[in-house]
Amino acid sequence: MSHHMGDRSGFPLIGDKFPSMEVKTTHGMIKLPDAYSGKWLVLFSHPGDFTPVCTTEFVAFQKMRSDFDKLNCELIGLSVDQVFAHMKWTQWIKENLKVEITFPIIADDLGKVAMRLGMIHPGKGANTVRAVFIIDPEATIRLILFYPQEIGRNMGEIIRALEALQVVDKNKVTTPANWPNNDFLGDQVIVPPPADEKAAAGRKTGDGMVCEDWWFCHKKL
């Protein structure tokens, strides 16, 4: 699915391998995605340092760092700012909000990484959108979220999506809307539909599986 990545004017899609690059960060030079091999990674961009919404987001990401750790997931931020601005900003957050930012922030001062990942906000100069990429341990992009500058992200949804992706991979199932709090199914998961008529005809409720019809079966993990 990576055929279009040869065109650097495009940006990666779900199912693509995350493009290889070396980035300057507040923790030094980091090779992406190699440095996070075997781990999940949430890479997120923000419009700029010393902005109110971004500040609340960084504090929220940091306060949920242990939740990401439990899911074997690392965090890395990005904006089109110099590393010195990142360092001064995180210092301000620590001194004034009493929260120490422990994950690295990419200093994309020339905007090359943001351009390559499609993060530049149309009509807003060099500012990046609030993008979120969830990348799996094999460096495959599994989820992409884009928010406008005016709306702060919901960290709980990012955690929920990350957890759902891991459940899907481990159990070969799918998850319903608002999982694990679906109005109809609760925390149950959906069993993929049968691939042919013979399998459909033989599908029955049992072994913990409940079928509303041959194409709609669910179970509790």
Side-chain angles (χ1 to χ4, degrees):
M1 294 182 66
S2 299
H3 59 282
H4 65 281
M5 284 302 294
D7 176 10
R8 294 308 179 199
S9 64
F11 58 88
L13 301 176
I14 291 173
D16 283 335
K17 291 293 184 182
F18 189 86
S20 179
M21 61 182 74
E22 189 169 17
V23 294
K24 182 192 302 181
T25 81
T26 50
H27 291 190
M29 299 300 294
I30 293 178
K31 288 186 177 181
L32 297 178
D34 300 7
Y36 298 99
S37 178
K39 286 181 169 287
W40 290 78
L41 175 65
V42 169
L43 186 154
F44 64 97
S45 60
H46 62 284
D49 298 344
F50 297 101
T51 54
V53 178
C54 299
T55 301
T56 63
E57 287 187 319
F58 267 65
V59 169
F61 268 120
Q62 182 61 47
K63 286 187 173 180
M64 295 187 74
R65 182 72 191 271
S66 62
D67 296 296
F68 286 101
D69 288 343
K70 289 173 186 175
L71 294 171
N72 188 36
C73 181
E74 298 288 343
L75 298 170
I76 187 167
L78 176 149
S79 78
V80 184
D81 286 292
Q82 295 186 358
V83 70
F84 306 107
H86 288 337
M87 292 166 61
K88 185 64 178 176
W89 182 42
T90 56
Q91 180 185 2
W92 186 95
I93 292 173
K94 181 178 180 180
E95 291 177 352
N96 293 275
L97 303 180
K98 311 307 179 188
V99 175
E100 182 175 3
I101 305 301
T102 60
F103 51 84
I105 310 170
I106 297 170
D108 188 27
D109 50 324
L110 298 179
K112 291 183 178 179
V113 178
M115 287 293 292
R116 191 170 181 185
L117 297 178
M119 292 174 165
I120 298 298
H121 198 300
K124 299 249 178 137
N127 284 6
T128 49
V129 294
R130 301 184 193 282
V132 178
F133 289 84
I134 296 184
I135 303 152
D136 71 17
E138 284 71 49
T140 300
I141 296 170
R142 301 295 299 278
L143 182 146
I144 302 172
L145 297 169
F146 274 26
Y147 292 75
Q149 291 188 25
E150 298 80 10
I151 301 174
R153 282 164 281 214
N154 185 321
M155 306 307 153
E157 168 57 15
I158 297 171
I159 286 283
R160 187 199 75 88
L162 177 62
E163 186 175 4
L165 284 168
Q166 295 186 7
V167 165
V168 164
D169 286 359
K170 182 179 179 180
N171 299 282
K172 308 304 178 188
V173 294
T174 59
T175 58
N178 296 322
W179 180 89
N181 299 302
N182 180 265
D183 290 342
F184 172 40
L185 301 179
D187 64 352
Q188 294 188 57
V189 295
I190 297 172
V191 180
D196 52 54
E197 291 181 347
K198 182 178 180 180
R203 175 163 278 195
K204 299 176 181 178
T205 295
D207 297 325
M209 183 171 66
V210 176
C211 292
E212 309 301 326
D213 206 326
W214 62 265
W215 53 270
F216 188 176
C217 296
H218 49 91
K219 67 179 181 180
K220 191 173 182 66
L221 290 177

